[in-house]
């Protein structure tokens, strides 16, 4: 919501007059914007290009700022119903030495390991509960600074606010001429969910680095753990997470009991970097990966 608030100001976001928003993309960010605006009395319509709502991915860490955002959207209780509380985040080096694990104990606030589909579902429920309309099978091809969202059918939908929450390849950002740089990085990762065992640690996230590889361990629900395996694009054996994870076990032997639970067939995907000249133009704003991708 930062770009939206910066563009419109608190007065326009208020309840004194109903305004209308058209949103491209029903991912987590688009649905969060829809829920937050609808909760403030806006009429909101969200456009999703796929025929049904779905969230790709596995788990995610939701730090204190994310918790505040979920509460603002009215989705926190549902999203965190199965989540694991995070009390510690350990970074470990190639010798398995702990580099840091103290910053979360310095009044950082509540944080969680959560399944991405749980967050997505909770945000969709909140958006609909507050009155937002979600239209599936509706492909957006662009937008204008004058407040028009353009569909693949050629229809131009006018709004007081147009939001591009349509990902790293955002047609809204491109149409507005806000792309400064978009590039695929020479690094990426595979995301996996594994069964959780009673002996697995609770309330702690672990990330360990060895050379260009890193493994993250994040408990997400009472019966699932999120594991990510990241490496450079030129690490061919590291990228192959479909047929063998033997080199990962060899490099991270102390994490063998996690890695051995990963089902083969996972896919390594590159990370993408996006830099925008601005996060808004006229009556249009871009948010999420459309504005600043994960990197």
């Amino acid at each position: 919501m930062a770009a939206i608030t910066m563009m419109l100001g608190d007065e326009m976001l208020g309840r004194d007059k109903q305004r209308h928003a058209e949103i491209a993309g029903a991912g987590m960010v688009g649905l969060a914007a829809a829920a937050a605006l609808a909760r403030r009395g806006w009429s909101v319509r969200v456009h999703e290009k796929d025929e049904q709502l779905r969230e790709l991915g596995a788990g995610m860490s939701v730090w204190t700022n994310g918790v505040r955002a979920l509460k603002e959207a009215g989705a926190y209780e549902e999203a965190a119903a199965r989540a694991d509380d995070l009390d510690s985040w350990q970074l470990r080096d190639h010798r398995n030495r702990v580099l840091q694990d103290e910053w979360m104990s310095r009044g950082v606030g509540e944080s969680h390991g959560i399944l991405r589909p749980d967050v997505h579902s909770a945000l969709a429920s909140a958006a609909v509960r507050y009155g937002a309309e979600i239209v599936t099978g509706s492909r957006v091809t662009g937008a204008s600074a004058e407040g028009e969202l353009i569909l693949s059918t050629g229809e131009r939908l006018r709004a007081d606010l147009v939001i591009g929450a349509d990902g790293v390849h955002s047609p809204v950002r491109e149409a507005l001429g806000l792309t400064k740089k978009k590039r695929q990085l020479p690094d990426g990762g595979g995301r996996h969910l594994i069964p959780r065992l009673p002996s697995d640690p609770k309330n702690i996230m672990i990330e360990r680095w060895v050379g260009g590889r890193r493994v993250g361990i994040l408990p997400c629900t009472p019966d699932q753990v999120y594991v990510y395996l990241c490496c450079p694009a030129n690490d061919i054996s590291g990228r192959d997470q479909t047929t063998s994870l033997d080199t990962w076990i060899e490099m991270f032997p102390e994490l063998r009991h996690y890695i051995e639970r990963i089902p083969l067939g996972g896919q390594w995907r590159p990370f993408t970097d996006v830099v925008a000249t601005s996060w808004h133009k006229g009556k249009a704003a871009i948010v999420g990966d459309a504005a600043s991708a994960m990197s």
Side-chain angles (χ1 to χ4, degrees), residues 29-98:
V29 178
L31 292 172
L37 288 171
R39 194 178 188 186
R40 287 172 166 81
W42 283 59
S43 66
V44 181
R45 181 162 49 191
V46 185
H47 300 265
E48 170 55 45
K49 64 181 180 180
D50 292 330
E51 293 299 329
Q52 59 184 8
L53 296 183
R54 61 194 180 99
E55 171 59 32
L56 299 177
M60 62 188 298
S61 53
V62 178
W63 309 116
T64 305
N65 59 337
V67 169
R68 288 198 300 266
L70 286 172
K71 290 180 177 179
E72 181 69 19
Y76 172 71
E77 290 187 3
E78 181 180 342
R82 300 193 297 163
D84 205 77
D85 295 337
L86 285 179
D87 299 327
S88 176
W89 175 30
Q90 289 190 355
L91 290 179
R92 299 180 182 180
D93 67 7
H94 62 290
R95 297 179 183 175
N96 204 29
R97 297 173 299 188
V98 177

Side-chain angles (χ1 to χ4, degrees), residues 42-236:
W42 283 59
S43 66
V44 181
R45 181 162 49 191
V46 185
H47 300 265
E48 170 55 45
K49 64 181 180 180
D50 292 330
E51 293 299 329
Q52 59 184 8
L53 296 183
R54 61 194 180 99
E55 171 59 32
L56 299 177
M60 62 188 298
S61 53
V62 178
W63 309 116
T64 305
N65 59 337
V67 169
R68 288 198 300 266
L70 286 172
K71 290 180 177 179
E72 181 69 19
Y76 172 71
E77 290 187 3
E78 181 180 342
R82 300 193 297 163
D84 205 77
D85 295 337
L86 285 179
D87 299 327
S88 176
W89 175 30
Q90 289 190 355
L91 290 179
R92 299 180 182 180
D93 67 7
H94 62 290
R95 297 179 183 175
N96 204 29
R97 297 173 299 188
V98 177
L99 300 180
Q100 79 84 23
D101 68 348
E102 76 284 351
W103 75 271
M104 289 187 69
S105 64
R106 298 176 180 171
V108 172
E110 56 187 326
S111 300
H112 306 285
I114 303 183
L115 288 184
R116 293 181 67 92
D118 285 358
V119 177
H120 186 259
S121 176
L123 288 167
S125 296
V128 172
R129 184 170 67 250
Y130 293 124
E133 178 187 4
I134 301 174
V135 183
T136 57
S138 181
R139 181 179 293 274
V140 172
T141 58
S144 73
E146 291 70 38
E148 291 181 320
L149 193 68
I150 306 168
L151 305 185
S152 60
T153 60
E155 189 176 2
R156 304 175 77 93
L157 305 174
R158 294 198 60 81
D160 297 291
L161 171 64
V162 167
I163 299 177
D166 46 351
V168 294
H169 305 298
S170 170
V172 170
R173 184 190 66 237
E174 296 291 343
L176 294 171
L178 297 179
T179 303
K180 181 177 182 180
K181 179 173 64 176
K182 181 182 70 174
R183 65 189 179 102
Q184 185 172 293
L185 299 178
D187 190 70
R191 301 169 175 87
H192 312 275
L193 286 175
I194 63 172
R196 186 172 180 176
L197 302 180
S199 57
D200 290 340
K202 298 179 180 180
N203 312 123
I204 182 173
M205 178 179 178
I206 297 171
E207 182 170 294
R208 178 156 180 235
W209 291 63
V210 175
R213 291 191 184 185
R214 58 195 183 277
V215 176
I217 309 292
L218 177 65
C220 285
T221 72
D223 55 3
Q224 290 175 296
V225 176
Y226 169 43
V227 180
Y228 55 86
L229 308 179
C230 299
C231 66
N234 60 7
D235 182 349
I236 304 303

Side-chain angles (χ1 to χ4, degrees), residues 4-6 8-16 40:
I4 301 169
T5 303
M6 178 173 62
L8 300 175
D10 292 335
E11 182 178 349
M12 186 172 173
L13 286 173
R15 300 175 179 273
D16 56 332
R40 287 172 166 81

